[in-house]
């Protein structure tokens, strides 16, 4: 209880805000690097688009063969 009196309400509030900001920045950094890494490979992008139904099976196979022949 003594610690509460020395730090006060404002101090506790600022400490909580600080840690929320730190954790939020860490989550944002991890998510932004993960999404960049995931979409860097053209085959991954193609697979994601096919999974979302943006193209049919024939178009997917044609584009996949084209991408693999360029490697």
């Amino acid at each position: 209880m003594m610690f509460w009196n020395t730090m006060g309400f404002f101090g506790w509030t600022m400490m909580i805000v600080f840690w929320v900001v730190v954790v939020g920045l860490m989550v944002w950094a991890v998510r932004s690097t993960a999404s960049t890494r995931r979409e860097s490979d053209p085959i991954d992008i193609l697979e994601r688009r096919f999974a979302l139904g943006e193209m049919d099976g024939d178009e997917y196979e044609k584009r996949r063969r084209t991408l693999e022949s360029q490697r």
Side-chain angles (χ1 to χ4, degrees), residues 8-69:
F9 180 75
F10 181 75
W12 278 101
T13 305
M14 287 296 104
M15 185 171 64
I16 291 170
V17 168
F18 171 77
W19 285 112
V20 167
V21 169
V22 168
V23 170
L25 285 173
M26 290 171 60
V27 168
W28 173 78
V30 168
R31 293 183 89 187
S32 66
T33 57
S35 65
T36 303
R37 239 183 308 129
R38 184 176 58 233
E39 293 190 6
S40 62
D41 187 25
I43 298 289
D44 290 341
I45 296 170
L46 184 65
E47 289 174 352
R48 182 178 50 85
R49 290 185 60 201
F50 179 64
L52 291 172
E54 295 179 5
M55 62 181 69
D56 61 359
D58 293 333
E59 184 179 357
Y60 168 76
E61 287 297 324
K62 179 182 172 188
R63 290 180 185 223
R64 187 181 56 78
R65 274 186 260 126
T66 302
L67 287 171
E68 288 177 348
S69 68

